[in-house]
Amino acid sequence: MHPVARLVNRNLTISLNPGFLVWQVVFPLIYVFVAGFAYSSLIDRVPFGGRDLAYPAYLATGMIGFNIMNSTLVSGVIIWNDRRNGMFEQIMSGPFTRTHYILASVLTQGIVGLASAGLIAGLGLAAYYDQAEPGLEAIPLVVFAAVTGSLLFGSTASIISTRLKTSEGFNVMINTVFLFFAFVSTAFYPAAGAPEPLATAFYLNPLTYLVDVVRAGMLGGGLTDLVLAEMAALAVLAAGLFALATRLLTRLDF
Amino acid sequence: MQCIRARSLTKSYGGAGRPAVDGIDLSVGAGSVFGFLGPNGAGKSTTIKMLTTLIRPDSGDLSVFGIDALRFPLEVRRRIGVVLQQASYEPTLTVSGALEKYGMMWDVPAAERRRRAGRLLEEFDLSEIRGKRNDDLSMGQRRRVQVAREFMHDMDLLFLDEPTVGMDPAARRALLDSLRRRAKSGLTIFYTTHVLAEAEYICDEIAIIKGGRTVAAGSPESLKSRFGSGREVRIRVPSRDGRIPALLGGVDGCSVSVDAGTEIRVRPSGSNEALLRVLRVLGSHGIEIDNLSAAPANLEETFLRVVEEEPGAPGR
Ligand SMILES: Nc1ncnc2c1ncn2[C@@H]1O[C@H](COP(=O)(O)OP(=O)(O)OP(=O)(O)O)[C@@H](O)[C@H]1O
Ligand SMILES: [Mg+2]
């Protein structure tokens, strides 16, 4: 087996524990089915692409994007744990290079991102299937979102992992980033209707682009100029953050 | 044949400042157990990190198995095993799971992994805790897993940086014996410890470093005879005699201390002839001797002397 494949195998084994699965699968499903339907009495319809959507369908597709971010932030944390548990040094003293380690971490994040996007898309189907209008572009768009999203958020977590020294600092940082990305976005609610500075802030957040792309694919919003611009932004941000994460990881001292 | 050949390795942390390693030369023969000793902060772990290609020296040359380790670090790493001073473990895996996963990382075939893991669980007395998560282990247990894990893969050279820290006496002894066995069948071992009895037990060659520089090197026997000659001799006299301090104060070539009771401690600074002079002085004044004893030279004493007397890097 190739060294990168061996590292991916190892990364997946150490991260797929019951706690991770609850966080990745059970929580998002509770959101989709409990919050989605419970909020329906408050939020009747959500305007989307010239039509009105039921809130559960809006939320379920938002959760696909949310889950890509959530799971890859968590898998980006592998680097932090490896440093803390001495495994980074141990791996680097074995038959691997830093490039192997970085590629493996990206691939792990990509696999986890795709799997969780697929899981929520599949298991959450009941919440949105009557509203779904997946065109030919649905699958490529969700895959694009999963791949760029994984790179972007995985790299963000890696950057935080390499820069911070204390557990407290690390936890505060990861949680702040998580809260901002998750709640200042269109994953849970539309930007239209939010008070002005907030509505703009929604569009300074890559998770918004991510869920917009997912919704364009799953709910038939189509490739509007906005979605195309968001895809371009995702690609640029993912590439930039990945380059930075790689640079930092390559220079990380023992 | 030389397994490690290092020339003038230097390393400073944070660029300027006093170097952690200041021009170390090493030559480790294939199949030997090489002990690398020195006080805290001497630069042992830093040297190990350079030898294992984890960090790059600021200057110097390093060849391992005849490979230029600075140019082809991966080639070197493929053939070495490393137990660093820092603990390393996979918290979420069980003990046997961690062994097998580590074997997988080294590309050991699945059947062979299971066989080796089973054997190592026995050898390191881990069978009882094989199903426990690494997170839940005691410190010494975790260290045993870390050391055992390294034997999941084949290697020609093994680095151990204070492997026995936290291990109980039985585990220590079992590890040392297993290292001896493996060295007999051709494995080269680079071993660091502060327990000098361990070094004395397994090492063929020893280097003592201080302040990033080598201050003594050789076989344990040669070091002991070189640095152990000035060891202390204790002379016991039957009763207290007020004349003794004045009589012995003038003897050249040794330092003498007399306690309030009946023991005289003589520490020859050069050859043992000073001791003969002491005995002659005592005899000529009719002072009888009850007992005379010299502590056998051991590596610990030798180490303490070397570290105390050799300057190492200036300012340390
Ligand atoms: N990452 C680091 N950053 C800065 N200085 C360091 C670092 N690691 C080690 N040092 C310094 O380098 C010197 C040598 O440290 P090293 O860890 O090599 O010593 P050692 O001989 O292994 O000591 P010990 O017996 O305590 O393990 C020390 O003065 C130490 O403070
Ligand atoms: Mg050390």
Side-chain angles (χ1 to χ4, degrees):
Chain A
M1 235 198 307
H2 191 273
V4 174
R6 285 182 260 140
L7 286 178
V8 169
N9 173 327
R10 174 256 174 192
N11 288 349
L12 290 174
T13 316
I14 58 165
S15 31
L16 295 181
N17 53 58
F20 182 80
L21 290 176
V22 167
W23 181 248
Q24 292 315 311
V25 181
V26 179
F27 283 4
L29 287 178
I30 289 176
Y31 259 89
V32 169
F33 288 103
V34 178
F37 288 99
Y39 277 126
S40 293
S41 61
L42 295 175
I43 310 163
D44 188 21
R45 314 296 288 176
V46 182
F48 176 84
R51 62 194 177 116
D52 281 342
L53 286 180
Y55 183 63
Y58 184 83
L59 181 65
T61 44
M63 285 308 289
I64 295 175
F66 170 85
N67 226 34
I68 293 170
M69 171 194 81
N70 190 15
S71 56
T72 51
L73 269 183
V74 173
S75 68
V77 168
I78 290 178
I79 297 174
W80 170 261
N81 287 328
D82 279 351
R83 288 181 71 196
R84 212 187 41 179
N85 302 326
M87 285 308 294
F88 182 58
E89 270 177 295
Q90 189 66 48
I91 290 170
M92 292 292 84
S93 72
F96 305 103
T97 62
R98 292 209 186 198
T99 311
H100 291 148
Y101 186 87
I102 294 163
L103 283 176
S105 111
V106 169
L107 276 172
T108 307
Q109 289 155 9
I111 290 169
V112 171
L114 271 173
S116 65
L119 259 171
I120 301 306
L123 295 174
L125 192 65
Y128 66 88
Y129 85 103
D130 56 335
Q131 319 256 322
E133 286 181 11
L136 273 181
E137 72 279 12
I139 288 183
L141 279 181
V142 172
V143 170
F144 176 87
V147 170
T148 52
S150 311
L151 258 179
L152 196 160
F153 294 109
S155 301
T156 303
S158 306
I159 291 168
I160 297 172
S161 303
T162 50
R163 296 308 291 169
L164 292 181
K165 288 223 150 60
T166 66
S167 299
E168 295 77 19
F170 178 75
N171 285 324
V172 166
M173 195 66 199
I174 281 282
N175 285 316
T176 308
V177 165
F178 174 83
L179 281 176
F180 169 77
F181 280 150
F183 295 109
V184 188
S185 78
T186 56
F188 298 94
Y189 20 67
E196 185 31 55
L198 199 56
T200 307
F202 280 13
Y203 278 91
L204 296 175
N205 178 350
L207 182 61
T208 294
Y209 315 156
L210 190 61
V211 294
D212 284 356
V213 172
V214 171
R215 285 193 182 118
M218 303 296 291
L219 302 173
L223 288 172
T224 59
D225 286 350
L226 176 65
V227 172
L228 285 172
E230 286 176 322
M231 287 175 73
L234 278 177
V236 170
L237 280 172
L241 287 169
F242 176 63
L244 179 59
T246 304
R247 196 180 153 86
L248 290 175
L249 202 61
T250 314
R251 296 179 165 196
L252 198 60
D253 233 345
F254 294 109
Chain B
M1 213 203 74
Q2 293 304 303
C3 184
I4 303 175
R5 185 182 278 279
R7 289 286 162 265
S8 324
L9 290 183
T10 0
K11 174 75 193 175
S12 301
Y13 287 104
R18 217 182 274 140
V21 173
D22 193 6
I24 279 191
D25 295 330
L26 285 171
S27 144
V28 177
S32 68
V33 181
F34 188 88
F36 197 52
L37 312 179
N40 292 136
K44 302 181 297 296
S45 300
T46 305
T47 305
I48 287 193
K49 286 179 186 173
M50 290 192 277
L51 300 181
T52 55
T53 79
L54 270 172
I55 57 177
R56 257 188 102 79
D58 298 335
S59 62
D61 292 319
L62 173 62
S63 97
V64 181
F65 315 119
I67 302 168
D68 181 345
L70 303 181
R71 286 182 61 205
F72 306 105
L74 184 62
E75 305 305 311
V76 170
R77 290 204 295 273
R78 286 202 179 108
R79 293 175 58 188
I80 63 176
V82 185
V83 175
L84 293 167
Q85 180 167 16
Q86 188 194 5
S88 76
Y89 61 101
E90 308 272 25
T92 56
L93 300 185
T94 61
V95 168
S96 60
L99 293 186
E100 292 210 20
K101 214 23 68 169
Y102 199 69
M104 183 282 297
M105 286 163 74
W106 276 89
D107 218 8
V108 178
E112 178 63 12
R113 287 205 295 265
R114 275 191 295 279
R115 205 181 61 75
R116 283 190 198 185
R119 210 190 55 215
L120 290 168
L121 288 172
E122 286 290 320
E123 185 177 340
F124 287 85
D125 197 19
L126 299 168
S127 302
E128 255 176 51
I129 53 165
R130 61 184 305 150
K132 260 194 155 174
R133 275 161 50 105
N134 282 281
D135 233 359
D136 301 333
L137 299 182
S138 75
M139 181 197 160
Q141 289 172 331
R142 210 178 269 167
R143 193 68 175 161
R144 264 153 55 195
V145 174
Q146 187 181 350
V147 175
R149 184 181 68 182
E150 211 48 45
F151 293 112
M152 285 297 295
H153 66 93
D154 295 322
M155 66 195 111
D156 300 316
L157 167 62
L158 173 62
F159 292 88
L160 297 149
D161 195 348
E162 301 189 35
T164 54
V165 170
M167 288 190 187
D168 64 43
R172 259 167 211 265
R173 178 52 73 96
L175 172 62
L176 293 175
D177 286 339
S178 110
L179 291 177
R180 270 211 323 201
R181 258 197 323 278
R182 290 182 154 97
K184 276 217 183 76
S185 50
L187 179 65
T188 310
I189 297 176
F190 193 96
Y191 193 87
T192 290
T193 182
H194 289 296
V195 184
L196 294 155
E198 288 178 6
E200 203 158 8
Y201 189 65
I202 62 166
C203 295
D204 308 313
E205 287 289 319
I206 282 174
I208 300 178
I209 68 163
K210 181 183 171 186
R213 291 184 183 165
T214 309
V215 289
S219 68
E221 286 314 314
S222 76
L223 287 178
K224 280 191 290 192
S225 65
R226 186 139 46 102
F227 293 95
S229 65
R231 66 186 183 268
E232 195 174 76
V233 175
R234 295 173 188 192
I235 302 170
R236 194 170 283 284
V237 291
S239 61
R240 221 180 142 236
D241 190 326
R243 295 174 297 163
I244 292 175
L247 286 175
L248 298 183
V251 180
D252 285 341
C254 67
S255 67
V256 176
S257 66
V258 185
D259 69 0
T262 58
E263 190 173 85
I264 306 166
R265 296 170 176 224
V266 181
R267 212 177 148 164
S269 44
S271 71
N272 283 332
E273 260 169 49
L275 184 61
L276 279 178
R277 286 201 286 276
V278 167
L279 295 176
R280 258 188 241 119
V281 169
L282 291 176
S284 65
H285 289 83
I287 300 169
E288 274 180 53
I289 292 170
D290 260 3
N291 190 7
L292 185 144
S293 64
N298 63 23
L299 199 56
E300 179 142 330
E301 215 176 85
T302 306
F303 174 86
L304 290 171
R305 253 196 91 159
V306 169
V307 165
E308 212 171 85
E309 291 174 5
E310 298 292 329
R316 289 237 180 168

